[in-house]
């Protein structure tokens, strides 16, 4: 069982539906974990900049941040993964700049953030290749193109 909570702090017509956001997150969880709880929070540039400054010491907005929950071993009923925070404005700007559909970029960022909650990382080249391969596979299963071929984007 997967429990994906969606918090929308911004109001914009271009936001994906709650159903789509949950579907994309669950696609990243499937085959990796049997049950999990996580939150997707959609914010503006001000909030994402504050979070990025506080936790990554980077004083600028970013597209997605992941905050894994370090669950105590004695809690085994349902695995609480943590939160991902996505900036709607940055997603919109990046999709336009990278000539991607907005929906495809949203799906990619939800999957990317969810994989971080599962422990995936892209700090080293080998880890980035593993994570990107997983993203590409999940996006393909959902009917989206490889985001790295389209733009040459690297993380």
């Amino acid at each position: 069982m997967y429990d994906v909570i969606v918090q929308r702090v911004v109001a914009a017509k271009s936001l994906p539906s709650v159903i789509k956001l949950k579907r994309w997150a669950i696609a990243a969880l499937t085959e990796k974990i049997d049950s999990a709880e996580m939150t997707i929070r959609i914010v503006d540039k001000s909030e994402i900049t504050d979070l990025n400054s506080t936790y990554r010491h980077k004083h600028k907005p970013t597209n997605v941040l992941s905050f894994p929950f370090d669950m105590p071993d004695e809690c085994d009923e349902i695995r609480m993964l943590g939160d991902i925070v996505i900036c709607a404005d940055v997603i919109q700007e990046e999709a336009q700049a990278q000539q991607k559909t907005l929906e495809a970029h949203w799906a990619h960022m939800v999957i990317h953030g969810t994989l971080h909650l599962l422990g995936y990382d892209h700090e080293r080249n080998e880890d980035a290749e593993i994570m990107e391969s997983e993203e590409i596979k999940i996006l393909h299963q959902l009917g989206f193109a490889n985001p790295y071929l389209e733009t040459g984007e690297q993380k």
Side-chain angles (χ1 to χ4, degrees):
M1 178 183 107
Y2 304 111
D3 187 11
V4 179
I5 300 157
V6 177
Q7 300 174 347
R8 293 179 175 194
V9 181
V10 296
K13 291 181 181 178
S14 62
L15 296 180
S17 69
V18 170
I19 291 169
K20 285 182 180 179
L21 291 165
K22 289 181 177 189
R23 189 173 103 229
W24 298 331
I26 291 169
L29 298 171
T30 303
E31 298 177 16
K32 291 169 194 56
I33 187 170
D34 292 331
S35 64
E37 181 177 312
M38 64 177 280
T39 299
I40 300 171
R41 181 174 173 86
I42 302 170
V43 301
D44 60 16
K45 280 188 178 179
S46 175
E47 185 170 337
I48 202 85
T49 299
D50 288 346
L51 291 168
N52 206 23
S53 294
T54 301
Y55 295 101
R56 297 180 66 224
H57 308 291
K58 296 183 180 186
H59 308 289
K60 62 181 183 176
T62 189
N63 50 21
V64 61
L65 292 171
S66 299
F67 297 95
F69 178 68
D70 189 17
M71 189 163 63
D73 292 336
E74 57 272 6
C75 297
D76 60 357
E77 289 180 26
I78 187 164
R79 183 169 175 192
M80 296 178 78
L81 290 181
D83 306 331
I84 60 174
V85 182
I86 304 174
C87 181
D89 293 333
V90 173
I91 299 302
Q92 175 87 36
E93 292 166 7
E94 287 179 346
Q96 286 179 317
Q98 297 169 14
Q99 299 179 333
K100 296 178 180 178
T101 68
L102 191 54
E103 183 175 43
H105 197 45
W106 270 102
H108 184 201
M109 291 301 100
V110 169
I111 290 164
H112 181 87
T114 303
L115 289 176
H116 273 306
L117 294 181
L118 290 168
Y120 286 80
D121 171 328
H122 48 77
E123 295 302 313
R124 297 180 312 141
N125 285 341
E126 305 85 48
D127 295 331
E129 287 178 19
I130 292 167
M131 186 170 184
E132 289 173 9
S133 173
E134 193 62 26
E135 290 170 344
I136 292 164
K137 179 181 109 184
I138 296 164
L139 286 163
H140 177 74
Q141 290 170 347
L142 292 167
F144 294 106
N146 177 340
Y148 301 104
L149 283 181
E150 291 179 22
T151 63
E153 172 187 337
Q154 292 294 316
K155 292 188 192 46

